[in-house]
Amino acid sequence: MVNVENTYKRRNTLMSTNIRKIVIAGVMGALSVVLSVTPLGFFPMPTGVSLTTMHIPVILGAVLEGPVVGVVIGFIFGIFSLLRAAIAPQGPADVWFVNPLVSVLPRLFIGITAWLAYRATRRIHEIPALIIAGIVGSLTNTVLVLGVLGLLRKLPWAGIFGIAAINGLPEAGLSAVVTFVIIASWKKIETRRKGSSI
Amino acid sequence: MTKRTEFELFTKLSIGQYMPTDSIIHRIDPRIKLVLGILLICAAVGLGSVLSAVLLLIAVVFGLLLTRVQLRLAFTALRPVAIFLIILALIQVFAVPRLGAEDEAIWQWRFLRVTHESITAGVLLILRFVVIVLGLSLFSFCTTTTELTHGIEHILRPLQRIGFPAHELALTVNIAVRFIPILMGEAEWLMKAQASRGADFGYGTRRGFFRRIKRLFPLFIPLFAQSLKHAYSLSEAMEARCYVGGRGRTHFIRLRAKAGDYIALLAGISVICTAAMIYFFHMDQLIWSMWKTLIRGGIH
C-alpha cells in the first residue's frame, strides 16, 4: 500500500522518456546484431567488398533519442562484432576485430558524432540534418576503425586510405539515405514527393 | 539434413551455446564469471609476452575441462579461421622486422628477414586469438542469458549510488537479447512477403549497383520501421504497467557469493596477475636466456 504512493511520487520525477530510451537502445542494439548475422546487413558491391549497415541502428538511435542511447547501441554493436569475429569468423580481417580497441572503442563514438551533427544542423532544416547525421556517423565508424588498425600497424596507411575511399564513402551515402528515409517516414516529415508512409 | 533455403536466417546464427552440464563452473556466481571474462580478454590483448599468453591458454583449457563439455566443441569455432590465422601469423613473422630493424636476424634471404621479435609477434597473434575464442566459448557454455543480465546488474549496482543507471543498462541488454529472435523472425517474414510479390534480392550476377541496392530497400526499410514500432509499443506497454526504473526495486533473484565463488575469483585473478607479472618484469626473457645458455652448455 505504501509502495503505491511512493511509485506515484517517483513517476512524476522520472520522465517517461527514460523508458523509451532504454527500450530504443535495446531494440536498436538487437537490430544491429540481426543485421550482422543475416545477409541483410551486407549490401553487395561490384568491387566484391560488401557495404556494411550495422552502424545504421546506432545513428538512428542517436538521432531519435540522444547521444547516451547512441553510445549504448554502439557498445552492443561493438561487443557483438567482437563476439562474431571470435566465434564465427568469416575472413582474415575478423582476426583483427578480436581486439576491443578495434571492435568496441571506435563504435562508441558513432552515436556521439551523429547526434552532434544532427543537433548542429537541425536548426537550418530537418532533412539535410538527417542526411548529414547519417554521413557523419558512418564516416566516424570508418575513420576510427581504420585509424585504430593503422595505429596498431595491422595495415599500411596507403591501404587504409584505399579502403576508406572504396568502402567508406559508399557506406556513408547508404547510411545517409537509410537514416533520412526511415526517420523522415517515422517523424512524418513532409517531403516534396508524395507517397506512402510506412 | 534438409536443404536450406535463402529465407532461413536462423541457422546462420552460431553464437556459442549454453551447455547444461551443471558443473562446478556453471555454479559459479555469474558476476565472478563476468569479471574474470573481461579481465581475461584485457590480459590477452594487453600482455605482449608469449609465456603469459601460454599461461592464460592453459588456464582457459583447464576451465573448459572442468565444465565437462567436450573440448572438441570449443575448438570447432577455431577450425574455419585456422588458415587465415596462419597466413596472418606468417605476415607478422616477415613484416615485423622492417618496423623494428635493430634486432639481430636469425634467418635472412634477400629482403625477407626473420628475427626473434617477428617470431614472437606471429606466435602471439595466434595465441591471443585462441585464448579469446576459447575464453568466450567457456563463458557461453556455462552462463545463461538470464544469469548474464543478473550478473551485469549486480556488478554495476554499487555504481547506482553515484547515479549510474545499472538497472537500466541491464534491462537494455536483456531487451536486446530477447529481441534478436523476434527481429530475426521479422526479417524472414519480410523476405518471404516481398518474394511472394515477385521481388528478386539481387543474388544473381552483377547488374546495376544502384538497382541492386534499390531492390534491397523494400526489405531494409520495413525492418527498421517495424523495429522502431516494436520499441515504441513496448515502451508504452511498460509505461502503462507503471514501470519506473531501478530505484527502490527489490529482486526475486539475489546473487550471493559463496566461499567457492571467492576461491574461483582468487584462482582466476592469481593466474592473470602471474601472467601480467611475467610480462611487466620480463620474466620470459629471463627464462628464454636461461634456455639459451642451457642449449649452449649442452653443445659445448
Side-chain angles (χ1 to χ4, degrees):
Chain A
M1 292 304 279
V2 181
N3 262 345
V4 174
E5 200 178 312
N6 273 346
T7 310
Y8 185 73
K9 268 183 198 160
R10 235 180 283 133
R11 258 199 74 56
N12 286 344
T13 54
L14 252 174
M15 291 202 296
S16 67
T17 51
N18 204 2
I19 302 176
R20 210 173 65 218
K21 281 184 177 171
I22 297 168
V23 176
I24 289 278
V27 174
M28 286 292 127
L31 184 60
S32 155
V33 172
V34 168
L35 288 178
S36 67
V37 292
T38 58
L40 288 177
F42 303 90
F43 277 77
M45 277 260 286
T47 49
V49 189
S50 299
L51 301 184
T52 55
T53 54
M54 284 85 82
H55 57 280
I56 296 177
V58 185
I59 300 170
L60 288 181
V63 168
L64 284 172
E65 300 292 340
V68 180
V69 173
V71 170
V72 172
I73 304 171
F75 183 70
I76 295 175
F77 166 36
I79 290 282
F80 193 77
S81 95
L82 189 151
L83 290 179
R84 197 182 61 94
I87 295 168
Q90 283 155 354
D94 276 337
V95 178
W96 300 325
F97 280 84
V98 189
N99 181 341
L101 286 179
V102 180
S103 53
V104 181
L105 189 72
R107 271 70 186 265
L108 298 179
F109 295 97
I110 301 173
I112 299 173
T113 55
W115 179 76
L116 284 176
Y118 175 67
R119 192 64 201 284
T121 49
R122 193 175 47 181
R123 256 171 267 149
I124 306 165
H125 199 271
E126 191 85 7
I127 293 169
L130 289 175
I131 292 173
I132 289 169
I135 292 172
V136 168
S138 178
L139 285 181
T140 310
N141 184 30
T142 315
V143 169
L144 289 183
V145 169
L146 290 174
V148 170
L149 283 177
L151 288 178
L152 293 177
R153 289 179 174 172
K154 305 277 186 196
L155 277 174
W157 287 105
I160 285 175
F161 287 121
I163 297 172
I166 292 170
N167 221 354
L169 295 179
E171 227 169 75
L174 182 65
S175 92
V177 173
V178 174
T179 311
F180 162 60
V181 170
I182 287 165
I183 298 194
S185 76
W186 185 252
K187 288 188 164 179
K188 307 228 160 48
I189 296 169
E190 294 261 331
T191 49
R192 247 179 246 163
R193 261 180 70 184
K194 284 197 176 155
S196 62
S197 64
I198 302 165
Chain B
M1 220 176 99
T2 51
K3 196 172 166 267
R4 256 182 48 213
T5 67
E6 61 194 70
F7 299 116
E8 281 161 31
L9 303 174
F10 281 100
T11 41
K12 285 230 166 175
L13 190 68
S14 55
I15 322 171
Q17 282 169 325
Y18 179 68
M19 301 281 169
T21 49
D22 194 33
S23 66
I24 318 168
I25 306 274
H26 284 69
R27 272 169 270 154
I28 295 176
D29 195 315
R31 283 175 289 182
I32 285 163
K33 282 190 272 194
L34 252 176
V35 169
L36 287 180
I38 292 166
L39 281 179
L40 176 77
I41 290 181
C42 294
V45 172
L47 302 179
S49 124
V50 174
L51 204 63
S52 49
V54 169
L55 188 70
L56 293 176
L57 183 64
I58 292 169
V60 171
V61 171
F62 181 68
L64 279 169
L65 287 175
L66 281 181
T67 58
R68 288 182 299 172
V69 178
Q70 281 174 307
L71 211 55
R72 191 168 51 85
L73 283 175
F75 280 95
T76 44
L78 287 171
R79 208 181 299 155
V81 82
I83 299 165
F84 295 128
L85 207 60
I86 291 166
I87 292 171
L88 275 175
L90 284 178
I91 291 172
Q92 290 275 315
V93 168
F94 291 116
V96 165
R98 252 168 286 154
L99 299 173
E102 307 90 42
D103 208 10
E104 60 169 312
I106 300 175
W107 180 82
Q108 196 161 12
W109 180 75
R110 300 208 185 156
F111 60 90
L112 292 176
R113 276 176 83 214
V114 175
T115 61
H116 287 306
E117 207 178 318
S118 70
I119 290 177
T120 315
V123 173
L124 256 181
L125 183 114
I126 293 179
L127 277 177
R128 262 182 197 155
F129 187 80
V130 172
V131 165
I132 292 177
V133 170
L134 292 184
L136 286 172
S137 326
L138 174 61
F139 187 78
S140 71
F141 282 164
C142 60
T143 320
T144 61
T145 50
T146 327
E147 277 176 351
L148 174 69
T149 45
H150 280 299
I152 293 174
E153 188 175 346
H154 279 75
I155 283 183
L156 297 176
R157 205 190 272 166
L159 290 175
Q160 235 166 8
R161 297 235 176 91
I162 55 164
F164 186 83
H167 172 79
E168 282 76 3
L169 204 67
L171 184 67
T172 306
V173 173
N174 208 349
I175 288 173
V177 170
R178 294 286 154 95
F179 257 89
I180 290 168
I182 295 174
L183 294 181
M184 207 78 119
E186 202 107 332
E188 215 177 292
W189 174 69
L190 276 169
M191 278 174 100
K192 285 177 181 163
Q194 300 288 12
S196 74
R197 290 168 177 81
D200 161 25
F201 297 123
Y203 282 120
T205 48
R206 53 167 66 199
R207 264 164 267 158
F209 168 61
F210 286 103
R211 257 171 79 195
R212 218 182 318 177
I213 281 198
K214 244 179 151 178
R215 287 220 177 89
L216 277 170
F217 262 70
L219 211 64
F220 209 66
I221 307 293
L223 181 64
F224 274 78
Q226 278 289 341
S227 34
L228 277 178
K229 250 183 211 169
H230 276 310
Y232 280 100
S233 50
L234 176 62
S235 70
E236 256 167 47
M238 283 166 74
E239 214 177 318
R241 286 160 181 76
C242 295
Y243 172 81
V244 285
R247 270 190 291 162
R249 198 180 184 84
T250 55
H251 287 263
F252 181 59
I253 296 175
R254 284 180 167 260
L255 297 176
R256 283 226 175 75
K258 292 181 287 285
D261 296 330
Y262 289 116
I263 293 170
L265 183 65
L266 252 164
I269 285 182
S270 58
V271 167
I272 289 167
C273 283
T274 318
M277 266 158 61
I278 289 173
Y279 175 57
F280 287 117
F281 298 121
H282 304 291
M283 265 139 88
D284 55 339
Q285 277 181 8
L286 196 78
I287 293 166
W288 177 242
S289 59
M290 272 166 66
W291 177 248
K292 266 205 285 197
T293 49
L294 245 171
I295 289 176
R296 273 188 199 142
I299 291 168
H300 289 300

